[in-house]
Amino acid sequence: MILPNPHVAAMDAYALADLSAPPGKPLIALCQNESLRPASPNVADAAAKAIRDQQLYPDPNWTALREEVASVHDIDASSILCGNGSLDLIGCLARAYLKTGDAAVAPAHAYPFFRTATLATGARFDIAPERDLTVDVDALIGAVTSKTRMVFVANPGNPTGTRIPRADLVRLRNTLADDVMLVIDEAYGEFADHLNEPYFDLVNRGNTVVLRTFSKAYGLAGARVGWGLFPPAIAGEVRKLLNPNNVSAVSQVSALAALGDQAYLRETCAMTATLRETLSTQIGALGLEVAHSFTNFALIRFGSLHAAQSADRFLRAEGVFLRPQGGAGLPDCLRATIGVADEMALTVRLLKNWMKSEGLA
């Protein structure tokens, strides 16, 4: 029997969300960080037209989509690459620039796919401690060694939802050696754009990449469209590893239509923020810790692995699925996606009932 490469055999599989609802209960999936409402109504019409031409390959250069992204964000279209979700781009970056003997560094509670992408290349994955569930730039700098070739930072972070200001990321970039790549994952960037702290200008330094996605705020998780701004030299190498038809024609026109409705995007972000703050306040009133979030989810800390598992079982028995965070080094936490108001009210009510059942309220 043929055997896999040793470094692949040693990896753990990426943990997928459990979506198996109990018998007789409707599934309320608050474990995927999906949008609380569908994409802009403009998307359906655009996608329906594109479906008529499914015999044709998609535009391998994502021309119209790149130009619209560039227009919305005032950046250079020629420096944009699109992927089958931002995971596609993260994986290609790792394969292009990491190898056995190298290392990548990320915060302790970083998005778990950073680890998966790194280990798949045979490189070592190092972590730096966080402070109060927030990226600690000094700790990241301290974790860098002579083997480090890449530093991953999600800002806002997943699964914490916390965020560091632009000045901290600029300081990180200024401190890192020129031959260490900084990858800034802004999958939840639209939820923090109102702070007016863009990072795209850092790409001009030639050793920084900024990634975004249409899966979250734009409500296009099923379309699988991510994009990033790359220095030209890095873009050229990553492009070699991308599937030449990686974003379907329907997905491209869907993303283009979503981009064209910025008013709808802003409304989605505002609705999400209002429901998130209400949820956080109500859960905090129960005596549970909630991290300050700049995303479409809230991280709830239960104080122990036992309590988090107990609460998770209680919620799942009623069909409400949050996301356990042991894989991100937070075994005492559950992450709750922000859903519609009724789902949020039910979640709070069930947590209150759980606390009563455990003698905690």
Side-chain angles (χ1 to χ4, degrees), residues 104-116 125-141 143 151-154 157-162 164 299 301 325-333:
V105 175
H109 310 311
Y111 181 39
F113 190 74
F114 296 154
R115 176 189 295 272
T116 299
F125 187 75
D126 297 332
I127 60 174
E130 297 190 25
R131 181 180 300 172
D132 298 327
L133 299 178
T134 304
V135 171
D136 184 332
V137 166
D138 291 319
L140 276 174
I141 294 169
V151 176
F152 290 105
V153 177
N158 176 20
T160 63
T162 58
I164 59 174
L299 184 72
R301 189 158 231 171
Q325 293 302 316
L330 295 166
D332 63 334
C333 293

Side-chain angles (χ1 to χ4, degrees), residues 77-116:
S78 67
S79 296
I80 295 170
L81 295 181
C82 297
N84 185 229
S86 54
L87 277 71
D88 188 15
L89 300 171
I90 292 169
C92 288
L93 273 167
R95 293 198 301 277
Y97 287 94
L98 295 174
K99 63 183 184 304
T100 300
D102 292 335
V105 175
H109 310 311
Y111 181 39
F113 190 74
F114 296 154
R115 176 189 295 272
T116 299

Side-chain angles (χ1 to χ4, degrees), residues 55-338:
Q55 79 279 13
L56 304 176
Y57 282 110
D59 176 3
N61 291 310
W62 331 281
T63 306
L65 180 55
R66 288 202 297 179
E67 290 175 354
E68 185 66 14
V69 168
S71 176
V72 167
H73 292 282
D74 193 23
I75 54 180
D76 180 9
S78 67
S79 296
I80 295 170
L81 295 181
C82 297
N84 185 229
S86 54
L87 277 71
D88 188 15
L89 300 171
I90 292 169
C92 288
L93 273 167
R95 293 198 301 277
Y97 287 94
L98 295 174
K99 63 183 184 304
T100 300
D102 292 335
V105 175
H109 310 311
Y111 181 39
F113 190 74
F114 296 154
R115 176 189 295 272
T116 299
T118 298
L119 297 181
T121 70
R124 188 180 73 229
F125 187 75
D126 297 332
I127 60 174
E130 297 190 25
R131 181 180 300 172
D132 298 327
L133 299 178
T134 304
V135 171
D136 184 332
V137 166
D138 291 319
L140 276 174
I141 294 169
V144 171
T145 71
S146 61
K147 301 293 186 181
T148 304
R149 297 200 68 204
M150 191 171 290
V151 176
F152 290 105
V153 177
N155 199 44
N158 176 20
T160 63
T162 58
R163 179 185 179 278
I164 59 174
R166 172 185 161 87
D168 286 349
L169 274 179
V170 171
R171 181 165 68 87
L172 174 61
R173 179 63 274 174
N174 288 342
T175 305
L176 294 173
D178 288 342
D179 62 352
V180 175
M181 186 189 304
L182 175 61
V183 180
I184 303 173
D185 180 3
E186 286 197 289
Y188 301 91
E190 286 78 11
F191 296 105
D193 276 344
H194 64 283
L195 298 173
N196 195 29
E197 291 194 338
Y199 303 104
F200 298 120
D201 60 300
L202 296 181
V203 175
N204 295 331
R205 302 187 180 203
N207 47 19
T208 302
V209 172
V210 177
L211 303 175
R212 288 210 173 190
T213 183
F214 286 91
S215 295
K216 308 303 181 183
Y218 283 102
L220 286 174
R224 309 307 302 128
V225 188
W227 65 274
L229 191 68
F230 294 74
I234 294 176
E237 300 306 317
V238 171
R239 188 67 188 264
K240 296 174 184 178
L241 299 175
L242 287 172
N243 182 321
N245 295 292
N246 61 343
V247 182
S248 75
V250 173
S251 293
Q252 288 189 45
V253 299
S254 296
L256 186 61
L259 269 173
D261 196 348
Q262 288 295 301
Y264 187 90
L265 169 71
R266 289 190 293 271
E267 187 178 64
T268 297
C269 292
M271 291 171 58
T272 301
T274 297
L275 288 165
R276 183 191 67 221
E277 296 312 307
T278 299
L279 176 74
S280 298
T281 298
Q282 292 176 340
I283 291 179
L286 298 178
L288 298 172
E289 179 185 346
V290 184
H292 183 50
S293 175
F294 293 86
T295 64
N296 68 335
F297 60 82
L299 184 72
I300 308 168
R301 189 158 231 171
F302 290 84
S304 71
L305 170 62
H306 171 77
Q309 290 179 334
S310 173
D312 192 36
R313 287 192 299 269
F314 191 94
L315 291 164
R316 285 171 182 263
E318 298 299 323
V320 177
F321 283 36
L322 307 190
R323 190 71 171 261
Q325 293 302 316
L330 295 166
D332 63 334
C333 293
L334 298 177
R335 191 191 67 198
T337 301
I338 304 305

